[in-house]
Amino acid sequence: MTSTVESITAPGAPVLDEAGRALLFTQARTANAFADTPVGDEQLAAIWELTRWAPTSANLQPLRATFVRTAQGRERLLPLMNEGNRAKTASAPATAILAVDSRFHEYAPTLLPIRPQMKDALEANEPMRTTMSSFNGPLQAGYFILAIRACGLVAGPMAGFDAAGIDAEFYPDGRWKSVLVVNIGHPGENPWFERLPRLDPADVVRWA
């Protein structure tokens, strides 16, 4: 079995070059310290612009983002982060709270115009809504991390936070529910931990 990119690519399909794959995957690292270099609102908007084009089930896109980039916003967020995540969050020029919209199905007529009836079907089926948001929200969060890297920034995703506290502070109407917090910026001093191993394909990949 060959591993060359050319041999596994359909004729005419574009291929991400080695530098692009390194940027997104093979050389990318989770950042734990950030430089003082500012991150502008235009850069944050560009991250979301990439994220929103990636696929989701029925194109219903339940993920939502709150960009925290002011001193006041950080003062609200920091006490709700786990102690081990506060210093790195304080050093990041921007932080995104990623949440799922519990009423995402209301946009079905816009996002899936060939099946506008999905709105009513999902309105009547809360378990299906929960299943769809539980799958597609984290899926979009993964896209979001790759979009940060694609925009020339580094990401520090964290699950260590008071979700109920963040929801009460930032989403008091109860409609959005936080799923991940991601620091965004440029790498600071000693930003990386040692590279951890990955499982061998022989242990995790099967061919049928």
Side-chain angles (χ1 to χ4, degrees):
M1 183 187 306
T2 181
S3 61
T4 60
V5 173
E6 292 78 12
S7 66
I8 60 174
T9 303
V15 180
L16 190 65
D17 64 17
E18 186 62 36
R21 285 180 278 146
L23 177 70
L24 298 181
F25 296 102
T26 57
Q27 298 299 318
R29 307 290 298 278
T30 294
N32 294 285
F34 297 85
D36 293 335
T37 308
V39 172
D41 288 357
E42 298 83 2
Q43 292 172 287
L44 299 175
I47 292 167
W48 186 258
E49 180 62 24
L50 289 178
T51 303
R52 74 189 186 105
W53 291 106
T56 56
S57 298
N59 196 42
L60 291 181
Q61 307 169 36
L63 194 71
R64 308 290 183 258
T66 299
F67 290 109
V68 179
R69 74 278 190 273
T70 66
Q72 294 85 353
R74 191 169 285 106
E75 287 175 2
R76 296 168 61 196
L77 176 62
L78 286 177
L80 302 170
M81 301 302 298
N82 286 5
E83 185 175 354
N85 289 330
R86 285 179 195 156
K88 65 181 76 173
T89 303
S91 76
T95 300
I97 303 170
L98 301 185
V100 292
D101 182 357
S102 63
R103 304 289 300 171
F104 70 91
H105 59 290
E106 292 182 356
Y107 295 95
T110 298
L111 297 173
L112 194 66
I114 61 172
R115 292 188 63 194
Q117 65 272 24
M118 280 285 288
K119 175 181 176 180
D120 293 335
L122 288 169
E123 178 66 34
N125 194 333
E126 184 176 0
M128 182 178 289
R129 294 201 311 269
T130 300
T131 297
M132 290 186 74
S133 63
S134 296
F135 173 78
N136 289 288
L139 179 65
Q140 286 188 282
Y143 299 145
F144 187 88
I145 293 168
L146 294 179
I148 292 171
R149 296 170 175 175
C151 289
L153 300 166
V154 293
M158 300 167 292
F161 58 89
D162 178 358
I166 284 182
D167 293 347
E169 177 66 29
F170 289 89
Y171 313 126
D173 65 359
R175 175 165 171 155
W176 293 10
K177 304 291 185 183
S178 56
V179 295
L180 192 68
V181 175
V182 186
N183 288 326
I184 303 169
H186 297 272
E189 186 176 356
N190 300 318
W192 325 120
F193 295 146
E194 290 295 324
R195 179 63 123 179
L196 294 172
R198 299 298 189 266
L199 292 173
D200 191 283
D203 296 321
V204 295
V205 176
R206 296 181 181 181
W207 302 87

